[in-house]
């Protein structure tokens, strides 16, 4: 196989990878400081490393309005979700320091503008609901009333949750090029991988050169499976059931927004920056509760012109083991009735794992189930 060069990988969104890391300014301690929420800190770090290319800072009003209304930046590039920094009041100076929740200084922002925004409208457009029960909407409603925009310079990156898995877009691209991968499929996950997910990642891998398993490790709802447990599951699964030279497990530092369809687009664009040419979109991607229709996260890709996003979505159905087919399958490929399928509800699986019981091997790899059983104890 010919070895891929960086040139052969998909181009970053907007054409080049942004790098907003830089030196700590001498006067930073004298600047007015804004403390970031975990979501804003994730966004900051992703701007710094180019995961949110072409963004070089938090969005200004024109880009914000354009993204909320029509899922495009003013430059015309697709972009699905606001990346904004909420502040209580207008800063005094033209430069502010950005700190994490503990007050440790991380970056400076050169203030471009401060503007008010309509939370209900942002919720309605981006989350398709104004209900406060929605975790993304709740977070939005809890924010300060103004957004401050401007270019950032990050002088101290956030400590990665899993240093051994932390790879910036430039680094994943390096790995892909070294391995000679040109076409790479990205898989977003915030859940342990059971047989169904293993199946669809492998079906996708059959058609490309490599697979990036890219678990989200930023802030999630408190009832999602903790990142440390999920990461342990990916490790045992990949070590035992995937060919090492065709898979890369790396962490995705984003916080969950639970914006369903729009987040699927946003996730795809981010993965393009990491060097993925393809992106897996399952049913109810990035959804929560029953706020989104089963296929909404797939249908939204039709709202863009063909090849406008450049990264190619790969749509998947729920899959299961079918006893009659004798293999993993989905409603698309198996003609047999539900009785033939090994299906367990999420509640049932949690109950079994909580009791220390292994789910059927057709549902979950025993190595993965053991990690989860230990975690539930
Ligand atoms: Zn079947």
């Amino acid at each position: 196989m010919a070895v891929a060069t960086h040139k052969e990988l998909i181009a970053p969104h907007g054409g080049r990878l942004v790098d907003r890391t830089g030196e700590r300014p001498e006067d930073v301690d004298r600047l007015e400081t804004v403390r970031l929420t975990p979501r804003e800190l994730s966004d900051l770090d992703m701007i710094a490393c180019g995961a949110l290319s072409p963004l070089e800072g938090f969005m200004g009003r024109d880009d914000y309005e354009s993204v909320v209304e029509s899922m495009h930046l003013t430059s015309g590039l697709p972009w699905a979700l606001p990346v904004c920094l909420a502040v209580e009041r207008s800063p005094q100076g033209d430069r502010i320091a950005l700190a994490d929740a503990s007050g440790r200084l991380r970056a400076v922002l050169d203030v471009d503008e401060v503007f008010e925004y309509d939370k209900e409208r942002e919720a309605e457009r981006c989350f398709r609901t104004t209900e406060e029960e929605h975790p993304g909407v709740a977070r939005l409603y809890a924010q300060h009333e103004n957004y401050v925009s401007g270019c950032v310079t990050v002088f101290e990156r956030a400590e990665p949750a899993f240093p051994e898995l932390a790879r910036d877009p430039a680094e994943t691209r390096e790995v892909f090029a070294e391995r000679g991968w040109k076409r790479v499929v990205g898989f977003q996950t915030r859940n342990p991988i059971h047989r169904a997910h293993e199946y669809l990642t492998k079906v996708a891998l059959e058609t490309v050169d490599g697979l990036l398993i890219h678990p989200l490790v930023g802030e999630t709802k408190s009832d999602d499976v903790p990142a440390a447990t999920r990461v342990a599951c990916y490790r045992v699964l990949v070590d035992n059931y995937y060919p090492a030279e065709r898979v890369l497990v790396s962490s995705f530092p984003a916080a969950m927004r639970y914006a369903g369809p729009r987040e699927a687009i946003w996730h795809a664009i981010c993965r393009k920056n990491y060097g993925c040419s393809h992106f897996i979109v399952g049913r109810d991607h990035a959804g929560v509760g029953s706020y989104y229709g089963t296929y909404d996260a797939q249908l939204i890709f039709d709202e863009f012109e063909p090849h406008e996003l450049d990264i190619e979505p790969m749509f998947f159905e729920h899959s299961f083991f079918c006893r009659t087919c004798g293999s993993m399958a989905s409603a698309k490929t198996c003609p047999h009735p539900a009785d033939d399928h090994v299906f367990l509800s999420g509640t049932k699986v949690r109950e079994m794992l909580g009791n220390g019981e292994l789910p059927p091997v057709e549902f979950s790899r025993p190595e993965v189930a053991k990690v989860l059983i230990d975690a539930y104890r």
Side-chain angles (χ1 to χ4, degrees):
M1 189 173 73
V3 172
T5 64
H6 287 79
K7 266 189 178 158
E8 289 174 297
L9 291 169
I10 193 169
H13 200 51
R16 71 178 183 92
L17 270 187
V18 166
D19 177 2
R20 293 308 307 171
T21 58
E23 294 293 306
R24 182 186 178 104
E26 294 207 351
D27 64 346
V28 67
D29 295 314
R30 294 199 294 274
L31 297 175
E32 184 176 338
T33 300
V34 170
R35 285 194 190 199
L36 273 52
T37 64
R39 195 223 81 218
E40 291 162 349
L41 194 67
S42 287
D43 287 354
L44 176 71
D45 198 59
M46 289 173 68
I47 294 167
C49 71
L52 299 186
S53 301
L55 301 190
E56 301 196 316
F58 290 97
M59 282 179 180
R61 186 201 299 262
D62 291 347
D63 274 331
Y64 169 77
E65 295 288 345
S66 174
V67 164
V68 168
E69 281 309 311
S70 67
M71 293 199 289
H72 286 79
L73 297 167
T74 50
S75 66
L77 268 184
W79 196 270
L81 288 170
V83 175
C84 291
L85 174 57
V87 289
E88 205 170 344
R89 57 181 178 278
S90 281
Q92 300 296 314
D94 52 12
R95 180 174 252 201
I96 54 175
L98 306 182
D100 62 21
S102 74
R104 192 176 175 92
L105 299 181
R106 300 286 183 176
V108 288
L109 178 147
D110 290 302
V111 179
D112 202 17
E113 59 180 331
V114 178
F115 58 99
E116 289 182 3
Y117 63 105
D118 182 338
K119 291 182 180 178
E120 284 211 0
R121 187 167 137 268
E122 183 179 328
E124 178 63 48
R125 299 290 304 170
C126 298
F127 295 99
R128 300 189 180 186
T129 175
T130 54
E131 282 179 26
E132 213 168 341
E133 289 71 31
H134 184 291
V137 174
R139 189 159 57 189
L140 171 62
Y141 287 178
Q143 286 179 174
H144 293 305
E145 308 302 316
N146 304 284
Y147 282 144
V148 59
S149 74
C151 208
V152 296
T153 304
V154 177
F155 49 81
E156 190 177 307
R157 299 276 304 275
E159 293 81 18
F162 302 91
E164 72 284 12
L165 295 184
R167 283 189 190 81
D168 288 339
E171 294 169 319
T172 53
R173 286 172 170 272
E174 191 71 43
V175 173
F176 299 166
E178 275 168 17
R179 294 187 181 184
W181 298 354
K182 293 175 197 164
R183 305 190 328 136
V184 184
V185 62
F187 178 61
Q188 143 77 29
T189 164
R190 61 184 156 105
N191 291 304
I193 301 183
H194 294 295
R195 293 292 297 271
H197 303 104
E198 179 186 334
Y199 171 72
L200 59 91
T201 55
K202 286 182 171 176
V203 168
L205 179 54
E206 291 287 359
T207 73
V208 295
D209 304 318
L211 166 68
L212 174 65
I213 296 181
H214 215 203
L216 179 144
V217 298
E219 191 185 47
T220 57
K221 295 188 278 99
S222 55
D223 59 342
D224 280 356
V225 177
T229 305
R230 289 185 280 123
V231 166
C233 291
Y234 308 140
R235 283 219 179 88
V236 294
L237 187 70
V238 168
D239 288 350
N240 288 288
Y241 297 98
Y242 285 76
E245 71 282 7
R246 291 226 175 258
V247 180
L248 178 68
V249 182
S250 184
S251 53
F252 180 51
M256 270 311 290
R257 285 163 157 83
Y258 302 98
R262 280 199 184 219
E263 196 160 9
I265 299 288
W266 195 75
H267 279 161
I269 290 172
C270 294
R271 271 38 179 256
K272 177 182 168 184
N273 286 326
Y274 282 89
C276 295
S277 56
H278 293 71
F279 183 62
I280 292 171
V281 183
R283 286 172 33 155
D284 201 25
H285 183 105
V288 62
S290 53
Y291 286 102
Y292 308 108
T294 306
Y295 297 103
D296 286 357
Q298 301 181 348
L299 292 170
I300 194 171
F301 282 83
D302 293 339
E303 295 181 33
F304 295 88
E305 297 297 321
H307 309 299
E308 195 184 355
L309 296 167
D310 207 10
I311 187 167
E312 203 61 45
M314 296 174 102
F315 300 135
F316 283 91
E317 279 288 334
H318 279 328
S319 57
F320 43 76
F321 187 88
C322 171
R323 294 189 193 91
T324 310
C325 288
S327 65
M328 294 298 296
S330 75
K332 226 171 173 178
T333 54
C334 159
H336 306 116
D339 285 353
D340 295 4
H341 304 159
V342 178
F343 174 79
L344 300 175
S345 69
T347 314
K348 177 71 187 164
V349 179
R350 279 190 294 275
E351 189 188 303
M352 292 186 77
L353 295 169
N355 294 333
E357 281 173 66
L358 290 177
V361 289
E362 294 87 355
F363 183 85
S364 197
R365 297 289 188 187
E367 294 87 348
V368 172
K370 282 189 187 105
V371 170
L372 291 170
I373 287 171
D374 290 343
Y376 279 106
R377 274 193 186 140

